[in-house]
Amino acid sequence: MSSASAPGKIILFGEHAVVYGRPALAVPVRQVQATAEVEASSRSGVWIAAPDIGLASELAQLASDQPLAAAVRGVFSALGIAGFPAIQIRISSSIPVASGLGSGAAVSVALIRALSAHLGQPLSDEQVSALTFEIEKLHHGTPSGIDNTVVTYARPVYFVKGQPPETFKVGAPFTIVIGDTGVAASTKAVVSDVRQLWQTAPRRWEDVFDRVGKIARQARAAIESGDLSALGPLMDANQALLQIMSVSSPELERLLSAARAAGAQGAKLSGGGRGGNMIALAAKEKAPAVAEALLSAGAKRTIITQV
Ligand code: PMV
């Protein structure tokens, strides 16, 4: 049997503007992960089971744009395999879906790695990321590529669309509290709403995206030099611009206020927005209190993670 796992992720700075070529920072979240197992099977055909989403089917029965089926076919095609082997694939994941934690990318990365390894030709990180990007298009429409990159390399990533991924140093470790609104939001729909705004007044929105890009660059410098006191205000400033883009929501705002009131140094939504997760920067000893405050304010779950 071959198996592979991939972590979840959070975007620290720069979501949405990253779609328009500005830099964004993302880090893996190892407390949640997706796992794929592939083994030879006695029945013919490629069987895929993903109990978390109630899926148990033969590959041939799945539509070509079904993300798991597309990932499997993508691996066969990358490896030049024409006849389908008799295998059973099992997918499981502890990453909540449609919540900005990169569940789609993590499932694809784990599946592509486990399957290519099982077939005796493990794909390189670059190939895994590129193929996952193709699958992300099925989930997201016009993804920037940040999710497949951070999840594949499982390292902090400074990402600019169309450029080779760069990792960045973390000068001093810091603690992030993640709070889940429990509201599922379609990144594809939110990205498309932002595109509509941009189309109506491109100059105005390019200016907003420039401001986000500047914050992301400042945040990278602050993280690299270990100047954590700069990070909280940068998160708040990024959030204010996300609000202007109309991608926040009452549920997110409630959690952001609760985190700040409980002592977080800064907070913002993370990912596509309108639901999903928010993140808050907190001193390590204050993180449990911030997580508690988030739960009292309605968060469905919290994760404390060290960057
Ligand atoms: O919702 P998520 O975590 O998949 O993040 C989407 C991030 C966006 O910048 C909104 C879109 C993208 O493809 O970068």
Side-chain angles (χ1 to χ4, degrees), residues 9-11 14-19 24 98-103 136 140 142-147 159 185-187 190-191 270-273:
K9 69 100 213 333
I10 46 172
I11 296 182
E15 47 276 272
H16 288 289
V18 69
V19 175
S99 70
L101 288 181
S103 104
E136 285 292 285
H140 283 181
T142 55
S144 62
I146 192 168
D147 280 21
F159 181 84
S186 152
T187 295
V190 186
V191 167
S270 178

PDB file of all heavy atoms in Angstrom, residues 9-11 14-19 24 98-103 136 140 142-147 159 185-187 190-191 270-273, ligand 1:
ATOM      1  N   LYS A   9      -3.806  24.699   5.233  1.00  0.00           N
ATOM      2  CA  LYS A   9      -3.015  25.929   5.130  1.00  0.00           C
ATOM      3  C   LYS A   9      -3.873  27.134   5.551  1.00  0.00           C
ATOM      4  O   LYS A   9      -5.105  27.056   5.556  1.00  0.00           O
ATOM      5  CB  LYS A   9      -2.535  26.134   3.681  1.00  0.00           C
ATOM      6  CG  LYS A   9      -3.673  26.481   2.698  1.00  0.00           C
ATOM      7  CD  LYS A   9      -3.735  27.948   2.408  1.00  0.00           C
ATOM      8  CE  LYS A   9      -5.036  28.600   2.138  1.00  0.00           C
ATOM      9  NZ  LYS A   9      -6.234  28.168   1.637  1.00  0.00           N
ATOM     10  N   ILE A  10      -3.185  28.201   5.915  1.00  0.00           N
ATOM     11  CA  ILE A  10      -3.890  29.484   6.050  1.00  0.00           C
ATOM     12  C   ILE A  10      -3.145  30.529   5.231  1.00  0.00           C
ATOM     13  O   ILE A  10      -1.927  30.434   5.065  1.00  0.00           O
ATOM     14  CB  ILE A  10      -4.005  29.979   7.520  1.00  0.00           C
ATOM     15  CG1 ILE A  10      -2.670  29.853   8.253  1.00  0.00           C
ATOM     16  CG2 ILE A  10      -5.125  29.303   8.265  1.00  0.00           C
ATOM     17  CD1 ILE A  10      -2.644  30.481   9.639  1.00  0.00           C
ATOM     18  N   ILE A  11      -3.907  31.486   4.736  1.00  0.00           N
ATOM     19  CA  ILE A  11      -3.288  32.634   4.085  1.00  0.00           C
ATOM     20  C   ILE A  11      -3.125  33.695   5.177  1.00  0.00           C
ATOM     21  O   ILE A  11      -4.095  34.069   5.836  1.00  0.00           O
ATOM     22  CB  ILE A  11      -4.148  33.153   2.921  1.00  0.00           C
ATOM     23  CG1 ILE A  11      -4.237  32.062   1.839  1.00  0.00           C
ATOM     24  CG2 ILE A  11      -3.556  34.444   2.341  1.00  0.00           C
ATOM     25  CD1 ILE A  11      -5.012  32.436   0.599  1.00  0.00           C
ATOM     26  N   GLY A  14      -2.818  38.822   2.030  1.00  0.00           N
ATOM     27  CA  GLY A  14      -2.826  39.005   0.580  1.00  0.00           C
ATOM     28  C   GLY A  14      -3.859  38.258  -0.233  1.00  0.00           C
ATOM     29  O   GLY A  14      -3.788  38.292  -1.464  1.00  0.00           O
ATOM     30  N   GLU A  15      -4.833  37.549   0.407  1.00  0.00           N
ATOM     31  CA  GLU A  15      -5.830  36.859  -0.409  1.00  0.00           C
ATOM     32  C   GLU A  15      -6.574  37.854  -1.299  1.00  0.00           C
ATOM     33  O   GLU A  15      -6.662  39.043  -0.997  1.00  0.00           O
ATOM     34  CB  GLU A  15      -6.830  36.043   0.430  1.00  0.00           C
ATOM     35  CG  GLU A  15      -7.453  36.712   1.621  1.00  0.00           C
ATOM     36  CD  GLU A  15      -6.560  36.625   2.835  1.00  0.00           C
ATOM     37  OE1 GLU A  15      -6.612  35.656   3.592  1.00  0.00           O
ATOM     38  OE2 GLU A  15      -5.810  37.608   3.021  1.00  0.00           O
ATOM     39  N   HIS A  16      -7.118  37.370  -2.338  1.00  0.00           N
ATOM     40  CA  HIS A  16      -7.812  38.134  -3.392  1.00  0.00           C
ATOM     41  C   HIS A  16      -6.870  39.011  -4.215  1.00  0.00           C
ATOM     42  O   HIS A  16      -6.828  38.851  -5.435  1.00  0.00           O
ATOM     43  CB  HIS A  16      -8.994  38.947  -2.839  1.00  0.00           C
ATOM     44  CG  HIS A  16     -10.143  38.062  -2.457  1.00  0.00           C
ATOM     45  ND1 HIS A  16     -10.918  37.409  -3.399  1.00  0.00           N
ATOM     46  CD2 HIS A  16     -10.619  37.663  -1.251  1.00  0.00           C
ATOM     47  CE1 HIS A  16     -11.830  36.663  -2.785  1.00  0.00           C
ATOM     48  NE2 HIS A  16     -11.671  36.788  -1.477  1.00  0.00           N
ATOM     49  N   ALA A  17      -6.096  39.894  -3.559  1.00  0.00           N
ATOM     50  CA  ALA A  17      -5.159  40.708  -4.348  1.00  0.00           C
ATOM     51  C   ALA A  17      -4.161  39.804  -5.083  1.00  0.00           C
ATOM     52  O   ALA A  17      -3.666  40.161  -6.156  1.00  0.00           O
ATOM     53  CB  ALA A  17      -4.433  41.699  -3.441  1.00  0.00           C
ATOM     54  N   VAL A  18      -3.907  38.616  -4.509  1.00  0.00           N
ATOM     55  CA  VAL A  18      -2.956  37.676  -5.121  1.00  0.00           C
ATOM     56  C   VAL A  18      -3.444  37.203  -6.500  1.00  0.00           C
ATOM     57  O   VAL A  18      -2.655  36.892  -7.376  1.00  0.00           O
ATOM     58  CB  VAL A  18      -2.692  36.473  -4.163  1.00  0.00           C
ATOM     59  CG1 VAL A  18      -3.916  35.580  -4.028  1.00  0.00           C
ATOM     60  CG2 VAL A  18      -1.499  35.654  -4.604  1.00  0.00           C
ATOM     61  N   VAL A  19      -4.768  37.192  -6.674  1.00  0.00           N
ATOM     62  CA  VAL A  19      -5.330  36.802  -7.972  1.00  0.00           C
ATOM     63  C   VAL A  19      -4.929  37.834  -9.038  1.00  0.00           C
ATOM     64  O   VAL A  19      -4.864  37.528 -10.222  1.00  0.00           O
ATOM     65  CB  VAL A  19      -6.878  36.672  -7.851  1.00  0.00           C
ATOM     66  CG1 VAL A  19      -7.522  36.388  -9.199  1.00  0.00           C
ATOM     67  CG2 VAL A  19      -7.257  35.604  -6.831  1.00  0.00           C
ATOM     68  N   ALA A  24       1.340  37.302  -1.751  1.00  0.00           N
ATOM     69  CA  ALA A  24       0.577  36.839  -0.584  1.00  0.00           C
ATOM     70  C   ALA A  24       1.457  35.878   0.203  1.00  0.00           C
ATOM     71  O   ALA A  24       2.381  35.271  -0.341  1.00  0.00           O
ATOM     72  CB  ALA A  24      -0.703  36.141  -1.030  1.00  0.00           C
ATOM     73  N   ALA A  98     -14.573  23.933   2.169  1.00  0.00           N
ATOM     74  CA  ALA A  98     -15.099  25.270   1.852  1.00  0.00           C
ATOM     75  C   ALA A  98     -14.909  26.250   2.999  1.00  0.00           C
ATOM     76  O   ALA A  98     -15.796  27.044   3.314  1.00  0.00           O
ATOM     77  CB  ALA A  98     -16.583  25.179   1.475  1.00  0.00           C
ATOM     78  N   SER A  99     -13.762  26.192   3.655  1.00  0.00           N
ATOM     79  CA  SER A  99     -13.563  27.062   4.808  1.00  0.00           C
ATOM     80  C   SER A  99     -12.249  27.816   4.746  1.00  0.00           C
ATOM     81  O   SER A  99     -11.831  28.422   5.722  1.00  0.00           O
ATOM     82  CB  SER A  99     -13.633  26.232   6.092  1.00  0.00           C
ATOM     83  OG  SER A  99     -12.498  25.409   6.155  1.00  0.00           O
ATOM     84  N   GLY A 100     -11.550  27.755   3.598  1.00  0.00           N
ATOM     85  CA  GLY A 100     -10.319  28.529   3.458  1.00  0.00           C
ATOM     86  C   GLY A 100      -9.093  27.848   4.029  1.00  0.00           C
ATOM     87  O   GLY A 100      -8.044  28.462   4.144  1.00  0.00           O
ATOM     88  N   LEU A 101      -9.216  26.565   4.389  1.00  0.00           N
ATOM     89  CA  LEU A 101      -8.059  25.860   4.950  1.00  0.00           C
ATOM     90  C   LEU A 101      -7.374  24.956   3.926  1.00  0.00           C
ATOM     91  O   LEU A 101      -6.510  24.154   4.269  1.00  0.00           O
ATOM     92  CB  LEU A 101      -8.458  25.053   6.187  1.00  0.00           C
ATOM     93  CG  LEU A 101      -8.764  25.868   7.453  1.00  0.00           C
ATOM     94  CD1 LEU A 101      -9.122  24.942   8.609  1.00  0.00           C
ATOM     95  CD2 LEU A 101      -7.590  26.752   7.850  1.00  0.00           C
ATOM     96  N   GLY A 102      -7.763  25.100   2.673  1.00  0.00           N
ATOM     97  CA  GLY A 102      -7.030  24.398   1.620  1.00  0.00           C
ATOM     98  C   GLY A 102      -7.366  22.919   1.501  1.00  0.00           C
ATOM     99  O   GLY A 102      -6.535  22.122   1.056  1.00  0.00           O
ATOM    100  N   SER A 103      -8.595  22.548   1.873  1.00  0.00           N
ATOM    101  CA  SER A 103      -8.929  21.119   1.868  1.00  0.00           C
ATOM    102  C   SER A 103      -8.839  20.513   0.459  1.00  0.00           C
ATOM    103  O   SER A 103      -8.322  19.417   0.284  1.00  0.00           O
ATOM    104  CB  SER A 103     -10.300  20.901   2.504  1.00  0.00           C
ATOM    105  OG  SER A 103     -11.280  20.659   1.549  1.00  0.00           O
ATOM    106  N   GLU A 136      -7.421  22.517  -8.876  1.00  0.00           N
ATOM    107  CA  GLU A 136      -7.928  23.704  -8.177  1.00  0.00           C
ATOM    108  C   GLU A 136      -8.822  24.534  -9.098  1.00  0.00           C
ATOM    109  O   GLU A 136      -9.763  25.179  -8.648  1.00  0.00           O
ATOM    110  CB  GLU A 136      -6.758  24.574  -7.673  1.00  0.00           C
ATOM    111  CG  GLU A 136      -6.062  24.003  -6.446  1.00  0.00           C
ATOM    112  CD  GLU A 136      -6.957  24.030  -5.226  1.00  0.00           C
ATOM    113  OE1 GLU A 136      -7.170  25.099  -4.649  1.00  0.00           O
ATOM    114  OE2 GLU A 136      -7.473  22.941  -4.876  1.00  0.00           O
ATOM    115  N   HIS A 140     -12.176  26.200  -8.073  1.00  0.00           N
ATOM    116  CA  HIS A 140     -12.126  27.652  -7.847  1.00  0.00           C
ATOM    117  C   HIS A 140     -12.312  28.517  -9.067  1.00  0.00           C
ATOM    118  O   HIS A 140     -12.363  29.739  -8.937  1.00  0.00           O
ATOM    119  CB  HIS A 140     -10.758  28.027  -7.241  1.00  0.00           C
ATOM    120  CG  HIS A 140     -10.650  27.694  -5.785  1.00  0.00           C
ATOM    121  ND1 HIS A 140      -9.527  27.961  -5.051  1.00  0.00           N
ATOM    122  CD2 HIS A 140     -11.518  27.120  -4.944  1.00  0.00           C
ATOM    123  CE1 HIS A 140      -9.717  27.549  -3.810  1.00  0.00           C
ATOM    124  NE2 HIS A 140     -10.911  27.028  -3.727  1.00  0.00           N
ATOM    125  N   THR A 142     -10.682  30.489 -11.183  1.00  0.00           N
ATOM    126  CA  THR A 142      -9.422  31.149 -11.573  1.00  0.00           C
ATOM    127  C   THR A 142      -8.496  31.276 -10.368  1.00  0.00           C
ATOM    128  O   THR A 142      -8.243  32.376  -9.880  1.00  0.00           O
ATOM    129  CB  THR A 142      -9.702  32.569 -12.108  1.00  0.00           C
ATOM    130  OG1 THR A 142     -10.451  33.281 -11.092  1.00  0.00           O
ATOM    131  CG2 THR A 142     -10.476  32.556 -13.389  1.00  0.00           C
ATOM    132  N   PRO A 143      -7.981  30.158  -9.866  1.00  0.00           N
ATOM    133  CA  PRO A 143      -7.139  30.239  -8.665  1.00  0.00           C
ATOM    134  C   PRO A 143      -5.806  30.927  -8.966  1.00  0.00           C
ATOM    135  O   PRO A 143      -5.332  30.880 -10.101  1.00  0.00           O
ATOM    136  CB  PRO A 143      -6.910  28.776  -8.300  1.00  0.00           C
ATOM    137  CG  PRO A 143      -7.048  28.023  -9.574  1.00  0.00           C
ATOM    138  CD  PRO A 143      -8.055  28.784 -10.394  1.00  0.00           C
ATOM    139  N   SER A 144      -5.228  31.533  -7.936  1.00  0.00           N
ATOM    140  CA  SER A 144      -3.928  32.179  -8.126  1.00  0.00           C
ATOM    141  C   SER A 144      -2.806  31.144  -8.155  1.00  0.00           C
ATOM    142  O   SER A 144      -1.757  31.394  -8.718  1.00  0.00           O
ATOM    143  CB  SER A 144      -3.668  33.149  -6.974  1.00  0.00           C
ATOM    144  OG  SER A 144      -3.624  32.428  -5.757  1.00  0.00           O
ATOM    145  N   GLY A 145      -3.024  30.000  -7.492  1.00  0.00           N
ATOM    146  CA  GLY A 145      -1.967  28.993  -7.389  1.00  0.00           C
ATOM    147  C   GLY A 145      -1.338  28.941  -6.000  1.00  0.00           C
ATOM    148  O   GLY A 145      -0.438  28.149  -5.753  1.00  0.00           O
ATOM    149  N   ILE A 146      -1.816  29.780  -5.084  1.00  0.00           N
ATOM    150  CA  ILE A 146      -1.180  29.822  -3.756  1.00  0.00           C
ATOM    151  C   ILE A 146      -1.473  28.543  -2.956  1.00  0.00           C
ATOM    152  O   ILE A 146      -0.594  28.023  -2.270  1.00  0.00           O
ATOM    153  CB  ILE A 146      -1.578  31.101  -2.980  1.00  0.00           C
ATOM    154  CG1 ILE A 146      -0.691  31.256  -1.746  1.00  0.00           C
ATOM    155  CG2 ILE A 146      -3.059  31.127  -2.627  1.00  0.00           C
ATOM    156  CD1 ILE A 146      -0.799  32.607  -1.061  1.00  0.00           C
ATOM    157  N   ASP A 147      -2.710  28.026  -3.069  1.00  0.00           N
ATOM    158  CA  ASP A 147      -3.074  26.856  -2.256  1.00  0.00           C
ATOM    159  C   ASP A 147      -2.238  25.635  -2.639  1.00  0.00           C
ATOM    160  O   ASP A 147      -1.648  24.973  -1.772  1.00  0.00           O
ATOM    161  CB  ASP A 147      -4.560  26.507  -2.432  1.00  0.00           C
ATOM    162  CG  ASP A 147      -5.465  27.381  -1.602  1.00  0.00           C
ATOM    163  OD1 ASP A 147      -5.035  28.478  -1.217  1.00  0.00           O
ATOM    164  OD2 ASP A 147      -6.617  26.969  -1.344  1.00  0.00           O
ATOM    165  N   PHE A 159       4.152  34.135  -2.182  1.00  0.00           N
ATOM    166  CA  PHE A 159       3.675  33.699  -3.492  1.00  0.00           C
ATOM    167  C   PHE A 159       3.290  34.879  -4.378  1.00  0.00           C
ATOM    168  O   PHE A 159       2.534  35.758  -3.969  1.00  0.00           O
ATOM    169  CB  PHE A 159       2.450  32.797  -3.293  1.00  0.00           C
ATOM    170  CG  PHE A 159       1.891  32.265  -4.580  1.00  0.00           C
ATOM    171  CD1 PHE A 159       2.429  31.128  -5.176  1.00  0.00           C
ATOM    172  CD2 PHE A 159       0.843  32.922  -5.207  1.00  0.00           C
ATOM    173  CE1 PHE A 159       1.920  30.654  -6.375  1.00  0.00           C
ATOM    174  CE2 PHE A 159       0.335  32.451  -6.416  1.00  0.00           C
ATOM    175  CZ  PHE A 159       0.884  31.309  -6.996  1.00  0.00           C
ATOM    176  N   ALA A 185     -18.417  28.785   2.456  1.00  0.00           N
ATOM    177  CA  ALA A 185     -18.512  29.828   1.430  1.00  0.00           C
ATOM    178  C   ALA A 185     -17.753  29.357   0.203  1.00  0.00           C
ATOM    179  O   ALA A 185     -16.701  28.736   0.317  1.00  0.00           O
ATOM    180  CB  ALA A 185     -17.910  31.125   1.954  1.00  0.00           C
ATOM    181  N   SER A 186     -18.299  29.640  -0.957  1.00  0.00           N
ATOM    182  CA  SER A 186     -17.641  29.215  -2.194  1.00  0.00           C
ATOM    183  C   SER A 186     -16.605  30.249  -2.608  1.00  0.00           C
ATOM    184  O   SER A 186     -16.945  31.383  -2.951  1.00  0.00           O
ATOM    185  CB  SER A 186     -18.692  29.041  -3.294  1.00  0.00           C
ATOM    186  OG  SER A 186     -18.098  29.263  -4.556  1.00  0.00           O
ATOM    187  N   THR A 187     -15.340  29.846  -2.574  1.00  0.00           N
ATOM    188  CA  THR A 187     -14.266  30.758  -2.990  1.00  0.00           C
ATOM    189  C   THR A 187     -14.503  31.214  -4.425  1.00  0.00           C
ATOM    190  O   THR A 187     -14.295  32.377  -4.765  1.00  0.00           O
ATOM    191  CB  THR A 187     -12.899  30.055  -2.875  1.00  0.00           C
ATOM    192  OG1 THR A 187     -12.675  29.773  -1.489  1.00  0.00           O
ATOM    193  CG2 THR A 187     -11.756  30.920  -3.377  1.00  0.00           C
ATOM    194  N   VAL A 190     -16.959  34.055  -4.470  1.00  0.00           N
ATOM    195  CA  VAL A 190     -16.432  35.298  -3.899  1.00  0.00           C
ATOM    196  C   VAL A 190     -15.389  35.915  -4.845  1.00  0.00           C
ATOM    197  O   VAL A 190     -15.379  37.123  -5.073  1.00  0.00           O
ATOM    198  CB  VAL A 190     -15.845  35.056  -2.483  1.00  0.00           C
ATOM    199  CG1 VAL A 190     -15.436  36.372  -1.849  1.00  0.00           C
ATOM    200  CG2 VAL A 190     -16.850  34.343  -1.586  1.00  0.00           C
ATOM    201  N   VAL A 191     -14.526  35.050  -5.404  1.00  0.00           N
ATOM    202  CA  VAL A 191     -13.509  35.549  -6.354  1.00  0.00           C
ATOM    203  C   VAL A 191     -14.203  36.184  -7.556  1.00  0.00           C
ATOM    204  O   VAL A 191     -13.792  37.233  -8.053  1.00  0.00           O
ATOM    205  CB  VAL A 191     -12.567  34.385  -6.792  1.00  0.00           C
ATOM    206  CG1 VAL A 191     -11.723  34.772  -8.000  1.00  0.00           C
ATOM    207  CG2 VAL A 191     -11.660  33.990  -5.631  1.00  0.00           C
ATOM    208  N   SER A 270      -9.246  34.722   6.612  1.00  0.00           N
ATOM    209  CA  SER A 270      -8.178  34.028   5.898  1.00  0.00           C
ATOM    210  C   SER A 270      -8.801  33.180   4.796  1.00  0.00           C
ATOM    211  O   SER A 270      -9.682  32.367   5.057  1.00  0.00           O
ATOM    212  CB  SER A 270      -7.394  33.139   6.864  1.00  0.00           C
ATOM    213  OG  SER A 270      -6.386  32.427   6.172  1.00  0.00           O
ATOM    214  N   GLY A 271      -8.367  33.413   3.554  1.00  0.00           N
ATOM    215  CA  GLY A 271      -8.923  32.644   2.440  1.00  0.00           C
ATOM    216  C   GLY A 271      -9.927  33.483   1.668  1.00  0.00           C
ATOM    217  O   GLY A 271      -9.850  34.713   1.638  1.00  0.00           O
ATOM    218  N   GLY A 272     -10.878  32.809   1.075  1.00  0.00           N
ATOM    219  CA  GLY A 272     -11.835  33.496   0.205  1.00  0.00           C
ATOM    220  C   GLY A 272     -12.761  34.461   0.929  1.00  0.00           C
ATOM    221  O   GLY A 272     -13.220  35.449   0.365  1.00  0.00           O
ATOM    222  N   GLY A 273     -13.084  34.182   2.192  1.00  0.00           N
ATOM    223  CA  GLY A 273     -13.949  35.066   2.961  1.00  0.00           C
ATOM    224  C   GLY A 273     -15.430  34.749   2.837  1.00  0.00           C
ATOM    225  O   GLY A 273     -15.802  33.689   2.336  1.00  0.00           O
TER     226      GLY A 273
HETATM  227  O1  PMV B   1     -10.504  30.078   0.123  1.00  0.00           O
HETATM  228  P1  PMV B   1      -9.106  29.640  -0.086  1.00  0.00           P
HETATM  229  O2  PMV B   1      -8.335  29.422   1.139  1.00  0.00           O
HETATM  230  O3  PMV B   1      -8.932  28.559  -1.078  1.00  0.00           O
HETATM  231  O4  PMV B   1      -8.280  30.883  -0.627  1.00  0.00           O
HETATM  232  C1  PMV B   1      -8.613  31.594  -1.722  1.00  0.00           C
HETATM  233  C2  PMV B   1      -7.613  32.669  -1.861  1.00  0.00           C
HETATM  234  C3  PMV B   1      -8.000  33.656  -2.935  1.00  0.00           C
HETATM  235  O5  PMV B   1      -6.940  34.603  -2.990  1.00  0.00           O
HETATM  236  C4  PMV B   1      -9.283  34.370  -2.583  1.00  0.00           C
HETATM  237  C5  PMV B   1      -8.160  32.993  -4.275  1.00  0.00           C
HETATM  238  C6  PMV B   1      -6.876  32.452  -4.855  1.00  0.00           C
HETATM  239  O6  PMV B   1      -6.977  31.600  -5.738  1.00  0.00           O
HETATM  240  O7  PMV B   1      -5.786  32.897  -4.478  1.00  0.00           O
END
